[in-house]
């Protein structure tokens, strides 16, 4: 698969060890999350075990990786971005725990393991999701802010992405759309909120932690938006082309729930084209970084080609 930038210029790719980047950053993020979260034995132990169960179940850690890569692209210290990367992963995990509940997507498997409510029961799973969301803000509050981005702006950024105009709005539209005819325009609305908002927030916060310029922040927003949309198109493709074992969650759920997806509306081939086009726009957005955003570039390509 060859992907070009928006103006069809081939990308100038420097050799970049993405595998090494992902492994080292996942280790760093996991260690930080372990430090930030209450111990599994802290009373009441059930809730802390449940929070840790889903958080350390083997997620791909793509949002933290994007956050850290964005900080690096802007010349920042990854240690400054690390609490924000962890906060985003807590919000992401909370959304998965709640999404899997019987009242939502009703799933038995996530990240290759039984879902939270299957192990701890519905009440504790709801509370574990609530606690992870709250934990995210406690972790983010560790950042003191930067000269261009106040502490208040950082917290607001996170709250907006997770709130009723973005992440939750997407979930509401998704729930209300089940079994109904959905147009490509409505589907885009859902994807922008349900998926793209948090991915975009990840790179924006990474940039802010590096005290990035307004030009860099605009470029990161453009990049995150398009990578986020591509991420969901690929997720929808994988739902119909991969096995549950590979995905670590129940495959084919979208079709069963009569959910609108790109493959169901425009077919698989066109969906792949759309994901490539969106990724091409993400590559093009990185132009202002003049070759310094190698990790972001490599991540966008990896996300397009992923198989789980
Ligand atoms: C607020 C309850 C609530 C839900 C919000 C995020 C969400 C809406 C629902 C979760 C299910 C879903 C399909 C979300 C879209 C984003 C997405 C594809 C999540 C999966 O992300 P990955 O593949 O997962 O990065 P891992 O497990 O690797 O972290």
């Amino acid at each position: 698969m060859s992907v070009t930038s928006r103006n069809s210029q081939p990308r100038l790719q420097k050799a970049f060890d993405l595998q090494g980047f992902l492994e080292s950053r996942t280790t760093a993020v996991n260690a930080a999350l372990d430090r930030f979260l209450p111990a599994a034995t802290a009373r009441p132990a059930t809730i802390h075990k449940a929070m840790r169960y889903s958080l350390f179940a083997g997620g791909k850690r793509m949002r933290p990786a994007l956050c850290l890569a964005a900080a690096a692209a802007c010349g920042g210290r990854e240690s400054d971005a690390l609490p924000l990367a962890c906060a985003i992963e807590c919000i992401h995990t909370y959304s998965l725990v709640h999404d899997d509940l019987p009242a939502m997507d009703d799933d038995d498997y996530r990240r290759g393991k039984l879902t939270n409510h299957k192990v701890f029961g519905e009440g504790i799973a709801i509370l574990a999701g609530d606690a992870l969301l709250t934990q995210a803000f406690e972790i983010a509050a560790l950042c003191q802010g930067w000269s261009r981005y106040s502490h208040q702006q950082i917290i607001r950024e996170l709250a907006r992405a997770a709130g009723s105009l973005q992440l939750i709005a997407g979930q509401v539209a998704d729930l209300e759309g089940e079994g109904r005819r959905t147009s490509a325009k409505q589907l885009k609305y859902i994807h922008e909120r349900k998926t793209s908002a948090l991915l975009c927030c990840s790179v924006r916060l990474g940039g802010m932690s590096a005290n990035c310029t307004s030009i860099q922040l605009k470029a990161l927003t453009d990049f995150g938006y398009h990578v986020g949309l591509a991420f969901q198109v690929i997720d929808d493709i994988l739902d119909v082309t991969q096995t549950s074992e590979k995905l670590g969650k129940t495959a084919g759920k979208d079709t069963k729930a009569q959910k609108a997806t790109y493959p169901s509306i425009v077919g698989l081939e066109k969906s792949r084209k759309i994901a490539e086009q969106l990724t091409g726009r993400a590559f093009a957005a990185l132009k202002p970084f003049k070759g310094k955003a190698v990790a972001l570039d490599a991540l966008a390509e990896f996300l397009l080609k992923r198989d789980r």
Side-chain angles (χ1 to χ4, degrees):
M1 188 188 322
S2 94
V3 185
T4 52
S5 62
R6 192 189 331 205
N7 54 11
S8 295
Q9 294 292 315
R11 286 152 59 226
L12 289 171
Q13 265 188 304
K14 284 189 195 157
F16 180 74
D17 176 17
L18 182 66
Q19 198 55 40
F21 175 85
L22 287 175
E23 277 169 22
S24 61
R25 276 31 173 216
T26 297
T27 303
V29 166
N30 287 349
L33 283 169
D34 188 38
R35 285 197 306 276
F36 289 140
L37 254 76
T41 49
R43 280 177 73 186
T46 323
I47 190 70
H48 299 123
K49 282 199 179 87
M51 290 163 76
R52 285 172 169 269
Y53 174 80
S54 290
L55 200 54
F56 296 109
K60 296 187 288 297
R61 305 293 194 233
M62 285 302 132
R63 292 152 192 82
L66 285 163
C67 180
L68 299 177
C74 299
R77 285 192 304 247
E78 287 189 11
S79 55
D80 285 341
L82 195 56
L84 298 174
C86 290
I88 291 163
E89 187 63 21
C90 287
I91 292 178
H92 168 58
T93 306
Y94 124 77
S95 78
L96 300 180
V97 170
H98 279 194
D99 185 62
D100 291 334
L101 287 166
M104 301 248 185
D105 237 17
D106 192 10
D107 219 322
D108 291 354
Y109 290 95
R110 171 71 67 180
R111 294 177 163 173
K113 296 171 79 171
L114 281 172
T115 41
N116 202 293
H117 65 274
K118 283 280 160 191
V119 177
F120 297 95
E122 269 183 65
I124 292 295
I126 292 169
L127 292 169
D130 293 341
L132 283 166
L133 175 62
T134 314
Q135 183 73 57
F137 287 92
E138 188 177 336
I139 298 172
L142 293 170
C143 294
Q144 295 190 340
W146 291 267
S147 62
R148 291 195 181 101
Y149 306 100
S150 65
H151 176 74
Q152 185 192 12
Q153 261 175 292
I154 300 285
I155 300 295
R156 189 161 180 259
E157 180 82 23
L158 205 54
R160 280 192 78 91
S164 62
L165 293 172
Q166 297 290 331
L167 182 65
I168 291 174
Q171 182 75 346
V172 170
D174 205 27
L175 271 178
E176 291 179 347
E178 274 181 32
R180 291 199 190 160
R181 271 180 75 92
T182 307
S183 66
K185 193 172 165 217
Q186 286 164 322
L187 190 60
K188 192 166 168 228
Y189 171 95
I190 295 174
H191 288 191
E192 280 171 346
R193 285 153 187 81
K194 187 177 84 168
T195 313
S196 186
L198 206 52
L199 283 145
C200 191
C201 174
S202 306
V203 288
R204 279 174 58 88
L205 284 178
M208 288 174 168
S209 78
N211 204 31
C212 68
T213 64
S214 60
I215 291 174
Q216 288 172 325
L217 188 62
K218 192 168 172 295
L220 289 174
T221 308
D222 195 11
F223 173 84
Y225 172 78
H226 288 102
V227 158
L229 288 183
F231 189 95
Q232 187 60 56
V233 179
I234 295 294
D235 203 71
D236 289 352
I237 293 172
L238 295 178
D239 185 68
V240 287
T241 55
Q242 293 290 354
T243 62
S244 302
E245 288 68 35
K246 184 87 190 174
L247 297 178
K249 60 183 179 183
T250 316
K253 282 219 70 175
D254 297 340
T255 316
K256 210 167 157 209
Q258 291 184 287
K259 261 194 192 174
T261 64
Y262 271 95
S264 73
I265 294 182
V266 300
L268 266 177
E269 204 173 318
K270 182 121 192 268
S271 300
R272 287 199 181 98
K273 280 250 149 14
I274 292 172
E276 282 178 32
Q277 278 164 1
L278 290 165
T279 305
R281 296 187 74 161
F283 291 144
L286 296 178
K287 221 171 160 195
F289 293 102
K290 299 190 175 86
K292 288 213 177 92
V294 275
L296 285 177
D297 184 288
L299 275 166
E301 179 158 35
F302 172 78
L303 291 175
L304 176 69
K305 294 180 177 170
R306 71 196 171 99
D307 61 4
R308 70 178 190 102

